[in-house]
Amino acid sequence: FAETNNGFKVFRTTYKEARDACELCASNLAPRVKDLKGDKVGLYMSNSERWIEVFWAILMCGKSPLLLNTMTDTTVISHILATYGCDVVICDKSTINNEGTGCRMIPSDKLFVEDARLSVKEYNIPWSDSIFLMTSGTSGNIKLCEYNGINFYHQISDSVEVIRICGQMKKHVDGMLKQSGTFREN
């Protein structure tokens, strides 16, 4: 699933470990979001493996992740959250000090403890099929875009044609996409 390093040692996370982490997070998150009026849960974290695990856990809980840009001013974030009816935001160490959102902030580390009473499967919640992205597009005005499974299917299937047409997209190391990881504290 992921391979990161701290400059000295390589840390590996298998898909099973990642799935188990997602299920643990969802088991702790489900009782906290089951009675929300809306379907959105803000995700206000820096890029990391934990971000990915929380993202999937939100979907497992039947809620739609609202992906919040950590580089955006908290006044703008607060406006987005109020405008689009988001009452809960999951944050991490880098964003927890930006609590000026007016929402209930849940530190992500609290969702990865072994104290869930029920597994997420026992909640019998249908997965959400949508996510919300913040974008300013070319206008500079922040808006939300909703994507669902069908939208993602079309983006992925269309990517073959985009790569065929656009030579710049092909310029990677040995034909593979080059990605870099970030260090994750264990």
Side-chain angles (χ1 to χ4, degrees):
F1 174 72
E3 189 173 274
T4 58
N5 71 74
N6 64 0
F8 302 102
K9 182 178 177 184
V10 173
F11 299 93
R12 290 184 176 90
T13 303
T14 66
Y15 281 100
K16 181 184 180 333
E17 291 168 335
R19 186 192 68 222
D20 291 347
C22 292
E23 288 179 357
L24 174 63
C25 179
S27 294
N28 285 305
L29 181 61
R32 296 173 185 198
V33 297
K34 69 177 181 172
D35 294 328
L36 288 180
K37 291 178 235 161
D39 66 336
K40 296 173 199 68
V41 172
L43 182 52
Y44 191 49
M45 296 172 58
S46 55
N47 293 338
S48 64
E49 284 179 53
R50 282 288 188 231
W51 185 99
I52 296 167
E53 294 161 353
V54 170
F55 171 84
W56 286 107
I58 294 170
L59 290 168
M60 291 169 117
C61 291
K63 300 298 180 184
S64 300
L66 167 52
L67 309 181
L68 301 167
N69 184 342
T70 59
M71 304 300 283
T72 303
D73 181 71
T74 55
T75 305
V76 174
I77 296 286
S78 296
H79 175 71
I80 292 287
L81 295 171
T83 301
Y84 293 99
C86 183
D87 299 324
V88 172
V89 175
I90 300 171
C91 55
D92 62 12
K93 290 178 186 172
S94 68
T95 58
I96 198 161
N97 294 329
N98 297 327
E99 290 195 31
T101 62
C103 290
R104 182 168 44 118
M105 304 289 278
I106 300 174
S108 61
D109 59 340
K110 298 211 183 301
L111 300 175
F112 290 92
V113 295
E114 295 282 350
D115 68 351
R117 291 187 172 87
L118 296 172
S119 79
V120 71
K121 293 172 187 166
E122 293 173 287
Y123 283 103
N124 198 25
I125 303 168
W127 282 47
S128 175
D129 185 39
S130 66
I131 68 168
F132 292 85
L133 307 172
M134 285 178 60
T135 179
S136 61
T138 56
S139 68
N141 297 320
I142 292 181
K143 326 172 229 335
L144 291 188
C145 297
E146 180 179 10
Y147 287 90
N148 63 27
I150 297 296
N151 301 133
F152 283 113
Y153 165 80
H154 288 296
Q155 287 212 351
I156 292 168
S157 64
D158 291 346
S159 65
V160 172
E161 187 67 12
V162 170
I163 290 171
R164 187 185 68 74
I165 293 170
C166 182
Q168 285 297 107
M169 296 294 288
K170 296 179 194 176
K171 292 185 179 181
H172 298 290
V173 178
D174 297 324
M176 302 295 290
L177 293 175
K178 184 172 173 64
Q179 299 179 358
S180 61
T182 57
F183 173 66
R184 172 177 161 188
E185 294 176 22
N186 289 339

